[in-house]
């Protein structure tokens, strides 16, 4: 006989861990108990030594799908001679526990119940169990118990209570447990918020959507705007009302079969779609299904998801393909409070499908694509946040304020980095208001009182201004250093690497706008070894939305005053005032210098006449990539100056020289391949110079798969290449990098 105490830390509460331990103890004929406490799960078992060892192994190998074990420690205890195994109540929490599960997509057991007319949860839109359902979005405070969630107003009926109380039940201590008798329910409202009584709201909604209506549907983390993706009128109406010109809409398909008719999907991609996170997955379109033109104009990729909440299973039939885009106008944050939604979406939605369970934390859909068969994130939110990212070591508690657009923030404690769900663009008033609230909420949930605050060097970022207002020691982190540090943090990399940060723009230490950077970096610091040649950004910020500006400057730089003789799509369609703009730029008026690689892609797109104006962030670059069609092109000339600056003006010149001879598609491909070749050559040089053979790639430009594939493919033959996998390479990952740098510097 032996007795063992087992400490399990990680995401082990609210995911069916105790019933699992209970069953396992029965199986191995062990006695003792299991309980939740502030550190996770504590187990004491006694029985045959061999049985205990098998039991401990099974804890890890057979753990519930939604759990995550961060640490498992076993200690020997004196035998007490118990004769049963029980689930004990949690001791009064002395300290808050550190892990909260993200929201989990409906599990297959719950799916079956929903669709089984003999089951008491048939057709019930809030069905969940310990293996699935809302978590983070409904938690007001910790410990995670029903009274601390937005399920608090709903008293459980006798049947639900029984499920909740029986240790072996799938709903044992499932905090959001509910049924049609006792739980929340949907209502159908017209565009003015007046309830439409009578019909089953879900059935009526399905009918109306099939007939072309635009709906606002309250879901897990906020409101979606929904319409039939096959209806030209409905999709066009939604675009018009949402004030969204070209940016692709995400879709939800009623079944995997429907996804496969619509898009190419590998085994891995299908796993992602059907998994517990159930994100939007970017998939290549097959062009076999007649979708409305306006879903994703000119884009060969579609953002697709499968139903992940009971309401989706009940609303969509297997054949349905619906637009499912976030409930907001253009750049505003997604609506999640009923009153706000009814107000803000009134001009967009014809009807509202609304429910009476409060969403406490707004959480957008996550967006993922595969790179090298592994997930590569574009937005880390629902299903992923607020699970911790492990840093592989301890350090001070840090608040990292993140960037400006695609903002997330990050709080650290011990080994864990809690990167927030997607917050959005702070320049928006509503977003900024929720930012401070969300930081406080995270601090409460994870019991973190920051000792240090990290922020971007850009003095105008609202996140920087927020940091300014805090009475804490401050650590400013250069934007691209933070991008590279985010990769280092994820990979627990402590050695110096050559960091390639190819990005939009970020504030540089010299006051210029950086964005095509080669850094010798670790989390402690960095040295800027090389960068893309500075070019002016005529008109400053405006040039980001208007790629024709820098492109026109490049034309004049290459061909002088008479550049219009080249007669390209760009020179033929210059807007009024271009001469003044070039003059002002020549005089250094409102023309900051930038080494941004993102702008080079914009400029290439404008030079080729692909896009002169961006209607959404990165549009020109995205369309340039689409034009290239994934093809490997030729390496056009480029130069490396004595000061290690990458000069792509010769590349642009070669493109212009060929513009009337070679197709735009070929030139677009050539530009990507040239960029990849230049990065490769520069990394090789810097590696010889420094003796460093590890390379980290990050920054928004590496969302360009054509570029990433070629850069990665070239570099990995000679170097160890690290990428972001747990946070996006775009500014959504900045906060993690800032936190990693601040922890390292804060150690001194
Ligand atoms: Zn379930
Ligand atoms: Zn009930
Ligand atoms: Fe950036």
């Amino acid at each position: 006989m032996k007795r063992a105490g087992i400490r399990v830390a990680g995401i082990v509460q609210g995911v069916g861990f105790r019933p699992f331990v209970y069953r396992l103890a029965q199986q191995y004929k062990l006695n003792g108990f299991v309980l939740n406490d502030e550190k996770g799960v504590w187990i004491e078992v006694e029985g045959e030594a061999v049985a205990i060892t098998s039991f401990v192994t099974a804890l890890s190998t057979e753990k519930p799908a939604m759990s995550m074990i961060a640490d498992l420690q076993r200690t020997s205890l004196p035998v007490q001679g118990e004769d049963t195994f029980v689930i004990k109540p949690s001791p009064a929490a002395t300290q808050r526990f550190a892990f909260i599960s993200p929201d989990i997509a409906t599990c297959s057991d719950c799916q079956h119940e929903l669709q089984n007319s003999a089951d008491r949860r048939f057709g019930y839109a809030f069905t969940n169990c310990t293996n699935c359902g809302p978590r983070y979005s409904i938690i007001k405070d910790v410990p995670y118990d029903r009274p601390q969630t937005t399920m608090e107003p709903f008293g459980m009926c006798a049947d639900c209570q029984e499920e909740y109380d029986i240790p072996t039940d799938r709903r044992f201590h499932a905090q959001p447990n509910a049924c049609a008798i006792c739980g929340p329910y949907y209502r159908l409202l017209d565009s003015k918020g007046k309830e439409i009584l009578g019909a089953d709201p879900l059935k009526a909604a399905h009918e109306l959507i099939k007939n072309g209506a635009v709906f606002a549907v309250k879901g897990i983390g906020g409101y979606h705007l929904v319409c039939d993706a096959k209806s030209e009128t409905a999709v066009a109406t939604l675009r018009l009302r949402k004030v969204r010109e070209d940016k692709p809409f995400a879709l939800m398909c009623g079944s995997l079969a429907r996804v496969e008719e619509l898009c190419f999907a590998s085994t891995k991609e299908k796993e992602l779609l059907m998994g517990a996170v159930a994100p939007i997955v970017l998939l290549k379109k097959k062009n076999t299904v007649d979708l409305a033109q306006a879903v994703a104009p000119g884009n060969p990729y579609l953002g697709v998801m499968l139903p992940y909440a009971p309401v989706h299973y009940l609303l969509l039939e297997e054949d349905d393909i619906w637009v499912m885009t976030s409930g907001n106008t253009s750049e505003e944050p997604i609506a999640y409070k009923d009153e706000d939604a009814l107000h803000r979406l009134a001009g967009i939605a014809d009807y509202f499908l609304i429910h009476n369970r409060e969403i406490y934390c707004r959480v957008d859909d996550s967006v993922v694509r595969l790179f090298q068969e592994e997930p590569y994130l574009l937005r880390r939110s629902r299903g992923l946040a607020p699970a911790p990212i492990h840093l592989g070591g301890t350090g001070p508690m840090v608040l990292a304020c993140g960037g400006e657009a695609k903002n997330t923030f990050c709080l650290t404690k011990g080994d864990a980095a809690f990167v927030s769900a997607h917050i959005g663009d702070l320049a928006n008033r509503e977003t900024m208001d929720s930012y401070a609230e969300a930081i406080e909420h995270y601090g409460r949930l994870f019991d973190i009182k920051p000792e240090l605050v990290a922020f971007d060097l850009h003095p105008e970022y609202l996140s920087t201004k927020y940091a300014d207002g805090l009475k804490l020691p401050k650590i400013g982190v250069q934007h691209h250093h933070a991008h590279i540090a985010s990769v280092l943090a994820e990979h627990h990399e402590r050695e110096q690497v050559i960091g390639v940060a190819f990005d939009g723009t970020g504030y540089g230490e010299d006051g210029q706008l950086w964005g095509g950077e080669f850094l010798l970096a670790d989390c402690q610091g960095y040295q800027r070894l090389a960068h893309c040649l500075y070019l002016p950004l005529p008109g400053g910020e405006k040039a980001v939305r208007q790629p024709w500006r820098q492109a026109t400057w490049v034309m004049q730089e290459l061909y002088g005053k008479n550049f219009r003789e080249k007669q390209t799509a760009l020179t033929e369609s210059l807007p009024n005032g271009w001469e003044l703009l070039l003059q002002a730029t020549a005089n250094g008026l409102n023309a900051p210098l930038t080494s941004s690689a993102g702008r080079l892609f914009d400029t290439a797109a404008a030079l080729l006449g692909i896009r002169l104006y961006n209607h959404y962030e990165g549009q020109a670059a995205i369309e340039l990539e689409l034009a290239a069609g994934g093809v490997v092109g030729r390496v056009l000339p480029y130069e490396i100056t004595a000061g290690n600056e990458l000069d792509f003006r010769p590349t642009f010149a070669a493109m212009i020289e060929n513009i009337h001879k070679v197709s735009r598609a070929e030139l677009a491909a050539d530009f990507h391949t040239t960029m990849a070749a230049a990065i490769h050559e520069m990394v090789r040089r810097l590696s010889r110079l420094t003796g460093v053979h590890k390379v980290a790639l990050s920054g928004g430009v590496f969302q360009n798969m054509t570029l990433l594939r070629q850069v990665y493919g070239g570099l990995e033959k000679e170097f160890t290449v690290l990428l972001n996998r747990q946070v996006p390479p775009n500014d959504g990952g900045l906060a993690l990098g800032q936190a990693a740098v601040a922890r390292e510097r804060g150690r001194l």
Side-chain angles (χ1 to χ4, degrees):
M1 281 293 266
K2 286 264 190 280
R3 187 178 180 91
I6 301 149
R7 160 63 62 200
V8 192
I11 298 180
V12 288
Q13 299 189 0
V15 289
F17 208 86
R18 286 172 303 169
F20 154 71
V21 172
Y22 180 91
R23 283 192 297 273
L24 216 55
Q26 307 285 330
Q27 190 185 327
Y28 289 101
K29 302 190 169 41
L30 300 173
N31 296 324
F33 66 88
V34 58
L35 57 80
N36 276 350
D37 63 13
E38 75 276 8
K39 289 186 190 129
V41 163
W42 174 250
I43 308 165
E44 292 189 20
V45 281
E46 61 183 49
E48 299 282 336
V50 197
I52 294 182
T53 305
S54 309
F55 171 82
V56 172
T57 309
L59 283 177
S60 304
T61 54
E62 293 170 30
K63 66 177 165 50
M66 293 332 304
S67 63
M68 185 218 56
I69 297 180
D71 191 33
L72 195 152
Q73 306 273 358
R74 176 183 169 173
T75 48
S76 286
L77 298 171
V79 175
Q80 292 180 12
E82 274 168 310
D83 51 10
T84 55
F85 189 90
V86 291
I87 297 182
K88 278 197 184 175
S90 314
T94 46
Q95 204 197 353
R96 286 145 192 265
F97 69 86
F99 297 102
I100 285 172
S101 167
D103 303 290
I104 307 162
T106 305
C107 74
S108 55
D109 289 336
C110 287
Q111 282 173 40
H112 289 134
E113 290 175 353
L114 271 176
Q115 266 131 13
N116 172 8
S117 58
D119 194 276
R120 75 184 196 91
R121 285 203 174 71
F122 176 60
Y124 182 54
F126 298 85
T127 300
N128 66 82
C129 71
T130 49
N131 299 317
C132 76
R135 297 287 187 276
Y136 164 71
S137 62
I138 61 165
I139 295 177
K140 296 201 233 179
D141 207 344
V142 286
Y144 173 55
D145 257 328
R146 192 165 173 117
Q148 311 263 40
T149 71
T150 59
M151 284 301 291
E152 184 268 331
F154 305 96
M156 274 183 279
C157 68
D159 287 343
C160 285
Q161 187 68 50
E162 193 180 334
E163 294 166 338
Y164 186 91
D165 289 336
I166 295 176
T168 50
D169 195 279
R170 202 171 96 245
R171 298 199 163 90
F172 176 67
H173 280 227
Q175 304 306 347
N177 190 28
C179 72
I181 309 286
C182 64
Y185 53 87
Y186 272 96
R187 288 185 307 145
L188 179 63
L189 310 180
D190 69 14
S191 65
K192 299 195 171 60
K194 195 167 168 292
E195 182 162 7
I196 300 170
L197 294 161
D200 172 347
L202 297 184
K203 285 211 180 82
H206 181 265
E207 218 35 52
L208 288 162
I209 291 170
K210 292 300 269 186
N211 286 322
V214 173
F215 255 76
V217 177
K218 184 178 178 184
I220 297 293
Y223 277 78
H224 278 124
L225 287 163
V226 181
C227 71
D228 188 346
K230 299 182 82 174
S231 162
E232 288 291 350
T233 1
V235 180
T237 305
L238 176 56
R239 253 194 205 288
L240 196 71
R241 294 184 187 162
K242 201 174 141 82
V243 199
R244 178 144 143 171
E245 266 173 285
D246 298 322
K247 195 174 177 188
F249 282 139
L251 299 174
M252 183 176 277
C253 289
S255 60
L256 185 63
R258 203 63 174 135
V259 175
E260 293 189 271
E261 279 172 56
L262 190 65
C263 294
F264 297 95
S266 69
T267 309
K268 263 276 167 65
E269 284 164 334
K270 285 186 252 180
E271 278 172 23
L272 271 177
L273 286 165
M274 293 187 297
V277 177
I280 295 170
V281 182
L282 294 191
L283 299 174
K284 192 134 199 257
K285 197 154 67 174
K286 274 185 181 165
N287 289 321
T288 43
V289 179
D290 288 328
L291 285 187
Q293 209 55 44
V295 167
N299 200 314
Y301 289 89
L302 291 173
V304 183
M305 55 187 158
L306 281 175
Y308 61 81
V311 63
H312 303 143
Y313 285 99
L314 299 171
L315 266 180
L316 279 83
E317 284 172 3
E318 293 199 351
D319 273 354
D320 286 333
I321 305 175
W322 288 0
V323 166
M324 195 65 64
T325 181
S326 47
N328 54 12
T329 50
S330 266
E331 302 304 318
E332 288 177 359
I334 186 170
Y336 71 107
K337 299 243 184 252
D338 300 332
E339 214 174 300
D340 178 50
L342 285 167
H343 173 69
R344 280 205 283 143
L345 306 181
I348 304 177
D350 301 314
Y351 300 94
F352 288 82
L353 194 57
I354 179 172
H355 65 67
N356 56 339
R357 181 175 69 200
E358 187 195 344
I359 297 170
Y360 193 75
C361 284
R362 127 180 110 87
V363 50
D364 295 70
D365 294 316
S366 292
V367 186
V368 183
R369 74 191 314 165
L370 283 190
F371 177 68
Q372 308 273 348
E373 286 300 293
E374 292 294 326
Y376 191 59
L377 296 178
L378 303 180
R379 183 160 75 204
R380 181 184 186 272
S381 214
R382 179 182 50 75
L384 296 166
I389 291 168
H390 292 281
L391 297 172
T394 66
M397 289 197 248
V398 172
L399 164 64
C401 294
E404 176 90 346
K406 298 189 175 66
N407 177 279
T408 61
F409 60 83
C410 174
L411 284 160
T412 69
K413 181 183 190 178
D415 168 58
F418 300 95
V419 179
S420 73
H422 172 77
I423 303 272
D425 188 352
L426 295 185
N428 185 290
R429 257 290 304 280
E430 277 102 348
T431 315
M432 193 60 208
D433 289 345
S434 65
Y435 175 70
E437 270 171 50
I439 291 176
E440 272 166 42
H441 183 56
Y442 266 66
R444 253 196 334 272
L445 289 183
F446 302 113
D447 190 31
I448 297 177
K449 292 177 191 65
E451 303 158 66
L452 291 171
V453 57
F455 59 95
D456 193 275
L457 295 181
H458 200 306
E460 295 305 318
Y461 276 10
L462 291 169
S463 51
T464 303
K465 292 182 173 169
Y466 177 84
D468 258 350
L470 300 176
K471 289 191 183 67
L472 285 172
K474 296 180 180 57
I475 295 181
V477 183
Q478 200 279 323
H479 190 98
H480 303 100
H481 184 210
H483 273 307
I484 297 304
S486 73
V487 181
L488 301 181
E490 275 191 34
H491 294 273
H492 306 173
E493 181 57 63
R494 311 200 61 84
E495 284 171 30
Q496 280 191 324
V497 299
I498 296 170
V500 184
F502 269 39
D503 202 21
T505 52
Y507 197 81
E509 308 254 12
D510 59 0
Q512 310 294 2
L513 297 171
W514 295 7
E517 312 304 312
F518 294 82
L519 312 176
L520 178 65
D522 54 22
C523 282
Q524 182 68 241
Y526 76 95
Q527 209 186 323
R528 189 191 197 200
L529 296 180
H531 58 88
C532 294
L533 185 77
Y534 280 136
L535 299 179
L537 208 46
E541 269 303 299
K542 255 198 183 144
V544 178
R545 289 189 302 276
Q546 303 186 0
W548 69 268
R549 289 170 174 253
Q550 194 181 58
T552 307
W553 182 87
V554 165
M555 283 302 286
Q556 182 177 263
E557 176 83 352
L558 291 174
Y559 302 108
K561 286 258 177 290
N562 297 325
F563 70 86
R564 292 220 289 173
E565 286 163 12
K566 289 288 165 189
Q567 296 187 344
T568 68
L570 170 68
T571 64
E572 305 283 276
S573 51
L574 290 175
N576 288 334
W578 65 269
E579 287 120 319
L580 274 176
L581 179 77
L582 291 184
Q583 227 167 64
T585 305
N587 296 330
L589 287 175
N590 195 17
L593 294 177
T594 184
S595 55
S596 164
R599 294 296 82 78
L600 297 176
F601 277 84
D602 280 359
T603 291
L607 286 174
L608 294 180
I610 290 172
R611 178 149 292 280
L612 309 188
Y613 298 87
N614 282 330
H615 293 148
Y616 60 88
E617 196 210 339
Q619 186 178 14
I622 288 168
E623 290 179 3
L624 184 76
E625 182 189 0
L626 300 181
V631 173
V632 177
R634 299 163 301 169
V635 179
L636 302 177
Y638 62 88
E639 273 165 29
I640 297 181
T641 68
N644 266 348
E645 292 152 316
L646 270 179
D647 183 358
F648 289 99
R649 286 176 304 178
T651 318
F652 293 140
M655 287 160 67
I656 297 299
E657 289 315 312
N658 283 300
I659 203 162
H660 298 299
K661 299 175 212 143
V662 180
S663 75
R664 280 201 317 208
E666 273 176 78
L667 292 173
D670 292 348
F671 181 76
H672 283 82
T673 303
T674 306
M675 182 68 86
I679 291 174
H680 195 165
E681 184 183 347
M682 184 62 90
V683 168
R684 232 187 236 150
R685 278 187 184 212
L686 299 177
S687 172
R688 275 199 303 271
L689 186 75
T690 58
V692 171
H693 295 281
K694 269 186 195 156
V695 184
L697 307 178
S698 190
V701 168
F702 286 114
Q703 294 172 104
N704 180 323
M705 288 293 117
T706 305
L707 181 75
L708 180 63
R709 218 172 284 127
Q710 293 184 37
V711 171
Y712 188 92
L715 289 175
E716 74 165 343
K717 295 189 191 103
E718 295 166 61
F719 305 98
T720 305
V721 187
L722 306 175
L723 296 177
N724 288 115
R725 289 296 189 183
Q726 299 187 65
V727 294
N730 61 40
D731 284 5
L734 273 183
L736 177 67
Q738 292 172 351
V741 171
R743 270 161 61 101
E744 209 49 52
R745 291 195 190 150
R747 244 185 258 285
L748 297 180

